[in-house]
Amino acid sequence: MAVSVHAQEPIHWDVVDQIMDEAFENSELMENASWLVDVFAPRNTKSPGYIAAAEWAAESLRSYGLSNARLEPYEFGVGYVNEYVSIHMMSPQYMPIIAYPATWSSGTDGKIQGPAVFMNFDEIVTEADLEPYRGQLNNAVIFTSPMRQLPPLYEAPATRYSTEQLNEMAEIPIGPQAARAERIHPREGKIPQQQVVEFVYDQGAAVLVRTDGRNDFGTVAVENTRYTLDNRLWDLNAPLRPAELVMATEHYNRVLRILEKDIPVEIEVDLRVTFNDENLNDYNVVAEIPGTDLAHEIVVFGAHLQSNPAGGGASDNAAGVVACMEVARIFKKLGLAPRRTVRIGLWGGHEMGVFGNKSHVANNFADPDTREYKEDYDNLSAYFNLDQGNGRIRGVPIQGNERLRAIFTEWMKPLRNIGMNHLFATGMEHEAYEDVGLPSFYFVQDRMDTRQYHSNMDAYDRLVAEDLMANTVILATFVYHAAMRDERLPRFVPAPW
Ligand SMILES: [Zn+2]
């Protein structure tokens, strides 16, 4: 009889059963989601809504019985709040317009009424191309991008992975990771965009408007201001932050089609914003369940609490936050006593560059800039992250570390009937941890309706309670098993420095 030389990876079936009961029978996650998405949103960095959400989350974790629930400060920069936006087509007919400010847009100079002007920035090549607009732009609302064709939507916007698709994804061989996408500078051979932007404001323009380039039916995805050279708009001394609105494509196209008939269009716009520069700190929410015999070692799990400000940040990423909070609640409710310390992190400053996570990693594990290892570098077992929307978790990547395959295969056994049964050779790693060679895992989730992401319609109504409950069970099972096994999870990737 063959005898394995390795101890069997233990599965805590009884604990998973209890987690499953609590997660599905006594769930608090949809109520928590309503607080985050309905009451506190928008949760953009350092906004009053974000701070209120962070304080509420810390208080909730405290009430569950977690230790040391705290707001963890780190230096970020200037905060941004959209206080008010109102935009209307006044002539040739009246039409209320759906539009949202690009994040870190400036405001307009009060309520302004002026002409719509189509000025396709892509076709401004030389300074001579600016001349026809000189003297023409006072109070103008500048339409900067061409009309977008909107084809009919024949395919369902929300999909779940089929088993065949997951099997195919699981077989993708490990190869060199694709380089992170470079920011594209499409203006080669043209005068700089900044010069165009400065020209239109010198000429008295009120605001720049564009579409989001991907959505329709009144849905608008809103990212950071596009018409600036400085990508760090939150820096205290950031240069020009143009006033910039992202408009629903159907409304945008209507205005352009009227202009094509040489009929003037008048638009009224009032955009008010504030930049908060009194205190440059932003905050993560962190709390712990202290370990027992291995308390000095740590398992971290988390999700970003900050969200893009146009919508409620429901799928991105209240969905992840409430599942993480549920894991914490359930650990305490069931009286689980993990061997390692379990830490929950709800992170700030995410959409601008993962600042919350990076500060936590730099302060606790290793600083990629100074190349300094911190006390807990060797004590971290793993970081588990939820940030792929509101779909159900279907699998997790092993990041090329075959030793994890045997371990995770065992941990997934109790989760098969809730749809979690795939390991992928590679997948997304969390960049804050990856940058210092620490194991980190993004769970792979069903891709639900992508119109939600970063849009004005990322609302509570899109959350699917049963999926979030299943995600809670899966995350809790992984965190619990990581916290209980004899060894930390094996590391594979050497530190990159
Ligand atoms: Zn996200």
Side-chain angles (χ1 to χ4, degrees), residues 304 306 315-317 350-351 386-389 442 453-454:
H304 67 85
Q306 179 265 347
S315 63
D316 190 15
N317 188 14
H350 176 84
E351 300 292 356
L386 276 182
D387 186 20
Q388 289 198 352
Y442 262 86
Y453 298 122
H454 294 185

Side-chain angles (χ1 to χ4, degrees), residues 6 32 160 168 194 295 297 490:
H6 297 290
N32 286 343
R160 292 194 184 278
E168 217 169 276
Q194 196 73 0
E297 295 186 351

Side-chain angles (χ1 to χ4, degrees), residues 2-199:
V3 177
S4 168
V5 292
H6 297 290
Q8 180 76 28
E9 182 72 24
I11 311 176
H12 300 268
W13 290 93
D14 51 334
V15 172
V16 179
D17 280 349
Q18 290 177 56
I19 290 170
M20 201 124 14
D21 279 351
E22 181 65 24
F24 282 99
E25 301 302 327
N26 298 320
S27 179
E28 294 184 7
L29 59 75
M30 292 307 282
E31 177 63 11
N32 286 343
S34 176
W35 279 92
L36 289 172
V37 176
D38 297 327
V39 180
F40 299 128
R43 302 183 308 277
N44 194 45
T45 312
K46 298 181 60 197
S47 64
Y50 180 80
I51 301 296
E55 286 171 347
W56 168 87
E59 184 50 42
S60 300
L61 294 170
R62 214 169 283 134
S63 76
Y64 300 156
L66 272 79
S67 302
N68 205 10
R70 60 202 184 271
L71 267 56
E72 179 183 78
Y74 65 95
E75 189 167 313
F76 172 77
V78 173
Y80 167 82
V81 180
N82 173 212
E83 306 283 358
Y84 181 90
V85 60
S86 162
I87 178 165
H88 313 263
M89 181 169 82
M90 305 303 285
S91 72
Q93 302 294 334
Y94 175 74
M95 171 176 73
I97 292 176
I98 298 171
Y100 294 80
T103 317
W104 275 280
S105 162
S106 288
T108 54
D109 194 9
K111 182 158 78 174
I112 289 171
Q113 184 163 328
V117 174
F118 177 48
M119 182 176 175
N120 185 350
F121 277 14
D122 289 342
E123 289 177 357
I124 306 290
V125 177
T126 67
E127 285 183 25
D129 294 331
L130 293 172
E131 284 312 308
Y133 298 98
R134 191 174 293 281
Q136 306 296 314
L137 301 183
N138 195 38
N139 289 343
V141 175
I142 313 282
F143 284 60
T144 62
S145 56
M147 208 180 301
R148 271 186 69 218
Q149 297 300 319
L150 297 179
L153 191 64
Y154 289 118
E155 282 173 16
T159 54
R160 292 194 184 278
Y161 288 124
S162 66
T163 303
E164 292 70 32
Q165 283 175 310
L166 290 165
N167 287 340
E168 217 169 276
M169 288 157 64
E171 277 168 20
I172 294 169
I174 298 166
Q177 299 262 352
R180 281 183 198 156
E182 295 287 324
R183 197 167 260 271
I184 298 160
H185 296 284
R187 295 198 57 85
E188 277 160 36
K190 301 177 183 173
I191 57 172
Q193 178 175 274
Q194 196 73 0
Q195 190 178 340
V196 182
V197 173
E198 279 167 16
F199 172 85

Side-chain angles (χ1 to χ4, degrees), residues 424-497:
F424 309 102
T426 52
M428 273 175 85
E429 285 177 78
H430 196 285
E431 63 181 282
Y433 289 83
E434 181 191 1
D435 286 351
V436 298
L438 288 171
S440 61
F441 303 95
Y442 262 86
F443 289 100
V444 174
Q445 298 171 242
D446 280 329
R447 299 301 286 177
M448 304 303 269
D449 191 336
T450 54
R451 293 176 297 183
Q452 300 157 78
Y453 298 122
H454 294 185
S455 85
N456 56 330
M457 290 298 155
D458 191 6
Y460 176 92
D461 311 74
R462 305 277 172 255
L463 299 175
V464 180
E466 198 183 298
D467 283 356
L468 300 187
M469 291 173 196
N471 292 354
T472 300
V473 173
I474 292 160
L475 177 61
T477 299
F478 269 65
V479 170
Y480 184 75
H481 284 76
M484 293 303 285
R485 69 195 304 273
D486 288 337
E487 305 288 332
R488 289 172 312 160
L489 282 180
R491 291 185 189 179
F492 173 69
V493 186
W497 53 51

Side-chain angles (χ1 to χ4, degrees), residues 295-465:
H296 63 288
E297 295 186 351
I298 310 165
V299 177
V300 187
F301 66 101
H304 67 85
L305 179 62
Q306 179 265 347
S307 64
N308 269 14
S315 63
D316 190 15
N317 188 14
V321 169
V322 295
C324 288
M325 289 178 68
E326 271 291 273
V327 170
R329 187 186 69 76
I330 290 171
F331 265 65
K332 293 306 289 185
K333 173 87 180 283
L334 299 180
L336 302 182
R339 298 178 66 193
R340 292 181 179 80
T341 294
V342 169
R343 176 180 298 157
I344 178 175
L346 308 176
W347 312 112
H350 176 84
E351 300 292 356
M352 289 70 64
V354 199
F355 288 106
N357 289 91
K358 284 182 173 170
S359 90
H360 189 79
V361 168
N363 289 328
N364 292 277
F365 304 118
D367 187 330
D369 296 328
T370 62
R371 304 190 167 201
E372 187 188 345
Y373 289 94
K374 300 297 167 73
E375 196 184 335
D376 282 333
Y377 187 82
D378 291 327
N379 290 331
L380 182 80
S381 179
Y383 174 65
F384 295 102
N385 192 65
L386 276 182
D387 186 20
Q388 289 198 352
N390 56 338
R392 185 176 293 229
I393 295 174
R394 306 298 301 280
V396 69
I398 58 169
Q399 312 297 17
N401 184 349
E402 286 297 329
R403 288 187 295 169
L404 290 172
R405 187 182 298 278
I407 298 168
F408 287 177
T409 297
E410 295 302 307
W411 295 0
M412 288 194 304
K413 281 180 180 169
L415 305 172
R416 176 165 283 274
N417 66 345
I418 53 172
M420 163 61 166
N421 53 16
H422 276 80
L423 297 179
F424 309 102
T426 52
M428 273 175 85
E429 285 177 78
H430 196 285
E431 63 181 282
Y433 289 83
E434 181 191 1
D435 286 351
V436 298
L438 288 171
S440 61
F441 303 95
Y442 262 86
F443 289 100
V444 174
Q445 298 171 242
D446 280 329
R447 299 301 286 177
M448 304 303 269
D449 191 336
T450 54
R451 293 176 297 183
Q452 300 157 78
Y453 298 122
H454 294 185
S455 85
N456 56 330
M457 290 298 155
D458 191 6
Y460 176 92
D461 311 74
R462 305 277 172 255
L463 299 175
V464 180

Side-chain angles (χ1 to χ4, degrees), residues 166-241:
L166 290 165
N167 287 340
E168 217 169 276
M169 288 157 64
E171 277 168 20
I172 294 169
I174 298 166
Q177 299 262 352
R180 281 183 198 156
E182 295 287 324
R183 197 167 260 271
I184 298 160
H185 296 284
R187 295 198 57 85
E188 277 160 36
K190 301 177 183 173
I191 57 172
Q193 178 175 274
Q194 196 73 0
Q195 190 178 340
V196 182
V197 173
E198 279 167 16
F199 172 85
V200 301
Y201 282 107
D202 282 348
Q203 295 296 308
V207 65
L208 304 174
V209 299
R210 59 181 172 84
T211 68
D212 68 2
R214 63 176 221 240
N215 288 300
D216 54 8
F217 276 101
T219 300
V220 181
V222 178
E223 315 281 351
N224 291 347
T225 315
R226 181 181 292 175
Y227 293 118
T228 174
L229 279 186
D230 186 353
N231 296 323
R232 292 181 57 93
L233 293 150
W234 46 90
D235 280 350
L236 192 54
N237 299 314
L240 179 69
R241 299 183 184 105

